[in-house]
Amino acid sequence: MSNFVNVTHDGDVAIVTIDNPPVNALSFHVREPLMQALVSLRDDASVAAIVVACAGRTFVAGADITEFGKPMQQPELRAIVATLEAIAKPTVAAIHGTALGGGLELALGCHFRVADAGARLGLPEVKLGLLPGGGGTVRLPRLVGAVKALRMIVSGVPIGADEAHAAGLVDAVFKGDLTAHAVNFAREIARKGGPYTPVRDRDDRLVETDLAAFDAEAAELARKARGLEAPIACAQSVRNAITLHFDEALAAERALFVKLVASDQSRAQRHLFFAERESAKIPGKDVVKRRIARVGVIGAGTMGGGIAMAFANGGFSVTLLETSDEALQRGLGIIDKNYAVSVSRGSLTEEAKRQRLAQFKGSTDFADLADCDLIVEAAFEDMAVKKEIFGKLDAVAKPGAILATNTSYLDIDEIAASTSRPQDVLGLHFFSPANVMKLLEIVRADKTAPDALATVVDLARRIGKVAVVVGVCHGFVGNRMLAARGAESEALLLEGATPRQIDRAFTDFGWPMGPFQMGDLAGLDIGWRNRKARGQTAVIADTLCEQGCFGQKTGRGFYRYENGSRTPVPDPQVEALIHEKATEKGIVPRAISAEEIIERTLYPLINEGAKILEEGIAARASDIDVVWVNGYGFPVGKGGPMFWAGLHGAARIIERLEHWHQRTGKQVFQVAPLLRRMAETGSWEAGATA
Ligand code: 3HC
């Protein structure tokens, strides 16, 4: 007996209960007593069957991720599973909540698995840059077949109890008191008598594998892995389960796990796992949160409509406000269409769509926002427009309602000052499409009340967003750093790089696409409008826009898009334009390396991140990583810009920034003092010492 593992008896059935809140991770202090309990029950003649269950909200959610990278303390999970598997009496895992990673592997060591109807089962190790290292890749295919196992392990997405039952992973699904059902199940099995076949000895599903079809699917998954090692290792390991003997495949899985756990990619992805949980933590977590039932959204365009859907999907009633009935109907029509697409894809039922749409109320009258607890303004990016809207909100919103703006750049302190209740005003910067993109920058203005902030942080989680609290500055965290990244794009073109060359340097780094392909996709006119509003110019992009080349939507931008295709094709006319503008400026084109492209785009981005930290706009370097991975496609295998800077070496970045600063005198290359301190101490913490 220990505090973490309990053994109780119900007649001749023993129940081993793991109790390690919050998620019953298999930490060393669980593994040791668990092993002891299993050995002792194995040898206890009065015990006819064993149920392995968990206390609290979930079955085991995996190995303890905080132990990775530290010396392994015995017993290992693999030894526990092997011990469990060798027990001659029936063993039954009783799964509620989630059985993930090492948790599912533990369950696979049992002869049988029963699950609560709401349980979810999966092997999400790939999301941590790993593969299941406790036999999951070798045992799961034996129950569900190799192709299904491949899909589950390479995607890392868990499946529900019913699907698991249909696939052969779970033997029975119950509602109600799961432990009682599991005990009855175990007793009944024991009464019928053995032998009980451990999963390792069940080969019938494996022998039916069509290896060519398996390889074709694995090759397709590998193609989508975009430089990540873990999905490839997962696929290789499942293949080993088909082609090698059990023990050989198990040993090969272990070797791959050991290699991955020490890799920079896995370190980066584990960093992100904790960073995403950390970013939602704000001081004063005990403040009483405000009650939010109805949300108002102002503006039914792309952004407003997406925001409204995000709240409706999270279960909230939504009042959608527009300036005219026509605009309102257009917006509601798009929402309807979006849900119809979900129905056609099978992710939403007709009935659920009907219910979802019933959560919306359309209006053209500000007075209809009076019963809203939170109102999100998603109108034009124009200070005068926003101030006018907030003035009206001040007049109609109920006391204590939270008033949020979805601005991407504007000064929220100034917007707040246009109301008589600045304590209720903050920024909710969604990313487009807002019903899909995970990131939400929550902007704390000078006077935002702590309870208003805590309320929206909590709310973000309820609507499935990854929230990061940031301070007020032009562009907040993400767009401000994006501007620093883009500052040199045009100069690189004029000095001799082509759009394709720059984009390729980005995709080789791991980004899903480069800045010019991205610009063409989003529409070059957006940046053009913003530049004009701020009196800025970008000679190549401006000229393209003047010629009506806005990107994909017009078939021409930095690339050509032929016959409505989305594939960018290099455009000799664009290259001629770049050449012409360079000549006008007296620039002689030269060869530009991929390395230089990274130095002049990514290094200023990191430098800007350091300035943002210094100014307290972001609370932690890891928050910046969360913004970039979830909002801008920074490669997950590199952990975000600030984490990557640590891996890559801050001193090296400084040296090159200084080089470019000396050469160009540009402010984006001026090294932030915090970056220098990072190079000395190895930490982004302002007070860190070497
Ligand atoms: N190890 C250590 N800590 C863990 C953990 C784990 N496996 N899983 C969750 N935690 C911690 C979180 O960091 C968080 O800590 P905090 O409160 O201090 O921030 C706390 O537990 C609660 O986690 P969540 O906030 O994520 O709680 P939710 O209820 O939202 O989600 C969950 C629960 C779905 C279980 C989610 O935590 C999760 O997905 N966990 C990770 C599952 C996973 O990746 N398992 C595989 C691990 S690797 C492995 O098993 C290797 C093996 O093959 C050898």
Side-chain angles (χ1 to χ4, degrees):
M1 287 285 208
S2 90
N3 287 338
F4 301 101
V5 176
N6 264 300
V7 177
T8 52
H9 296 266
D10 183 327
D12 56 359
V13 178
I15 307 149
V16 181
T17 305
I18 299 169
D19 188 4
N20 184 29
V23 297
N24 289 314
L26 285 174
S27 318
F28 164 68
H29 58 251
V30 170
R31 294 196 305 275
E32 193 177 44
L34 178 60
M35 184 68 142
Q36 281 167 7
L38 292 174
V39 167
S40 132
L41 294 171
R42 175 191 69 193
D43 301 337
D44 184 342
S46 71
V47 171
I50 303 167
V51 168
V52 178
C54 283
R57 59 172 148 130
T58 179
F59 192 76
V60 174
D64 184 339
I65 304 170
T66 61
E67 289 182 0
F68 292 153
K70 299 178 188 159
M72 171 53 94
Q73 286 175 283
Q74 304 297 336
E76 286 183 37
L77 169 62
R78 292 182 316 145
I80 296 173
V81 175
T83 302
L84 191 55
E85 200 164 42
I87 295 177
K89 39 193 133 188
T91 51
V92 179
I95 298 168
H96 76 291
T98 46
L100 298 177
L104 182 56
E105 292 175 305
L106 181 72
L108 286 167
C110 294
H111 297 110
F112 304 95
R113 283 144 298 281
V114 301
D116 175 69
R120 296 186 67 73
L121 300 88
L123 293 171
E125 286 88 341
V126 72
K127 296 182 182 166
L128 299 169
L130 297 170
L131 84 167
T137 64
V138 190
R139 288 190 182 86
L140 185 65
R142 288 179 151 75
L143 289 185
V144 305
V147 170
K148 175 115 186 142
L150 175 75
R151 289 179 191 157
M152 283 179 68
I153 294 172
V154 173
S155 72
V157 177
I159 58 174
D162 287 336
E163 186 180 344
H165 189 208
L169 174 55
V170 154
D171 300 281
V173 177
F174 295 114
K175 285 188 177 139
D177 185 342
L178 181 66
T179 310
H181 283 301
V183 167
N184 290 338
F185 181 95
R187 182 167 292 129
E188 185 56 23
I189 296 278
R191 195 185 56 75
K192 285 188 194 154
Y196 312 101
T197 316
V199 176
R200 61 174 287 147
D201 294 335
R202 298 193 209 167
D203 284 349
D204 46 322
R205 295 297 307 271
L206 277 186
V207 291
E208 65 192 33
T209 311
D210 173 347
L211 199 57
F214 177 92
D215 282 344
E217 179 136 359
E220 180 57 18
L221 293 170
R223 198 182 57 77
K224 290 186 186 150
R226 279 219 323 263
L228 291 176
E229 295 152 14
I232 316 270
C234 287
Q236 177 60 50
S237 205
V238 178
R239 193 178 198 279
N240 291 342
I242 311 166
T243 57
L244 302 183
H245 288 300
F246 181 87
D247 287 320
E248 284 170 351
L250 202 63
E253 177 197 86
R254 187 64 193 165
L256 283 170
F257 183 85
V258 169
K259 188 168 153 237
L260 287 181
V261 86
S263 70
D264 282 346
Q265 284 189 358
S266 177
R267 282 178 59 205
Q269 288 180 260
R270 274 145 40 203
H271 158 76
L272 287 169
F273 176 85
F274 290 112
E276 284 177 10
R277 280 151 184 83
E278 205 58 27
S279 72
K281 292 177 190 157
I282 51 167
K285 82 180 192 322
D286 296 331
V287 293
V288 180
K289 297 178 190 83
R290 302 185 192 181
R291 187 180 160 273
I292 307 287
R294 178 168 282 279
V295 178
V297 177
I298 300 175
T302 310
M303 206 62 210
I307 295 172
M309 284 177 73
F311 281 108
N313 297 348
F316 292 91
S317 304
V318 178
T319 302
L320 189 58
L321 191 89
E322 254 298 351
T323 45
S324 71
D325 200 47
E326 194 196 343
L328 180 63
Q329 293 315 323
R330 198 180 322 120
L332 287 169
I334 292 170
I335 290 173
D336 190 312
K337 227 161 57 203
N338 286 341
Y339 283 132
V341 171
S342 305
V343 172
S344 70
R345 286 191 185 145
S347 56
L348 200 70
T349 62
E350 265 303 341
E351 174 54 20
K353 176 190 168 211
R354 207 187 48 72
Q355 284 175 7
R356 205 62 63 82
L357 287 172
Q359 289 168 245
F360 289 88
K361 183 173 120 188
S363 171
T364 53
D365 183 356
F366 266 80
D368 283 338
L369 297 173
D371 61 348
C372 292
D373 308 291
L374 162 71
I375 302 166
V376 186
E377 164 277 314
F380 285 123
E381 207 51 350
D382 180 299
M383 184 54 96
V385 172
K386 306 247 182 217
K387 280 184 172 172
E388 191 192 328
I389 289 175
F390 274 76
K392 286 186 187 163
L393 286 182
D394 201 11
V396 300
K398 64 177 167 186
I402 297 175
L403 310 181
T405 168
N406 176 55
T407 180
S408 347
Y409 291 99
L410 299 175
D411 182 346
I412 300 178
D413 291 327
E414 193 179 333
I415 297 174
S418 68
T419 72
S420 64
R421 39 174 126 180
Q423 73 280 2
D424 298 333
V425 177
L426 45 77
L428 289 181
H429 181 211
F430 286 85
F431 288 71
S432 187
N435 52 317
V436 177
M437 292 289 286
K438 284 256 177 224
L439 180 64
L440 178 63
E441 278 185 328
I442 296 178
V443 192
R444 185 193 49 222
D446 244 7
K447 299 207 167 115
T448 306
D451 65 331
L453 188 68
T455 304
V456 293
V457 168
D458 186 54
L459 197 64
R461 193 174 162 107
R462 283 162 62 195
I463 62 169
K465 299 294 175 201
V466 177
V468 178
V469 177
V470 302
V472 176
C473 67
H474 188 79
F476 315 121
V477 169
N479 283 342
R480 175 169 157 186
M481 289 169 71
L482 184 68
R485 187 187 85 171
E488 282 290 275
S489 298
E490 171 130 338
L492 282 164
L493 288 181
L494 292 169
E495 288 171 43
T498 63
R500 161 148 297 199
Q501 201 194 342
I502 295 175
D503 282 348
R504 186 159 292 158
F506 272 71
T507 49
D508 285 350
F509 184 80
W511 298 89
M513 62 179 79
F516 297 109
Q517 207 186 331
M518 187 69 220
D520 276 1
L521 179 70
L524 299 180
D525 49 325
I526 300 176
W528 190 35
R529 249 202 323 269
N530 281 341
R531 280 193 298 277
K532 281 200 282 195
R534 275 186 254 135
Q536 295 169 346
T537 56
V539 66
I540 310 292
D542 290 354
T543 311
L544 285 172
C545 287
E546 281 154 18
Q547 295 171 352
C549 303
F550 295 155
Q552 269 188 31
K553 60 185 167 191
T554 59
R556 283 193 60 200
F558 280 102
Y559 296 94
R560 202 179 264 287
Y561 300 87
E562 279 154 9
N563 308 321
S565 153
R566 288 163 177 262
T567 311
V569 178
D571 187 342
Q573 287 184 31
V574 174
E575 278 161 37
L577 170 72
I578 295 169
H579 192 73
E580 179 197 318
K581 297 292 175 193
T583 311
E584 277 174 21
K585 289 179 183 287
I587 301 170
V588 181
R590 62 183 169 87
I592 296 197
S593 67
E595 210 179 352
E596 179 177 337
I597 293 168
I598 295 295
E599 283 177 11
R600 290 174 63 184
T601 53
L602 193 55
Y603 291 7
L605 175 141
I606 292 162
N607 197 33
E608 197 65 31
K611 292 175 188 170
I612 280 171
L613 269 180
E614 267 167 13
E615 293 166 25
I617 298 294
R620 320 166 183 91
S622 62
D623 286 0
I624 297 178
D625 292 332
V626 172
V627 166
W628 273 84
V629 167
N630 289 286
Y632 297 84
F634 194 97
V636 287
K638 292 196 161 66
M642 309 313 270
F643 183 82
W644 184 79
L647 279 184
H648 187 65
R652 186 153 140 202
I653 295 173
I654 291 171
E655 190 216 300
R656 298 310 292 163
L657 284 169
E658 281 173 341
H659 166 85
W660 291 110
H661 190 239
Q662 218 166 29
R663 237 174 108 159
T664 66
K666 289 182 187 165
Q667 196 254 337
V668 283
F669 296 122
Q670 178 134 38
V671 178
L674 188 59
L675 183 58
R676 290 193 194 283
R677 232 178 1 248
M678 161 68 178
E680 284 158 20
T681 63
S683 163
W684 286 112
E685 307 266 322
T689 48

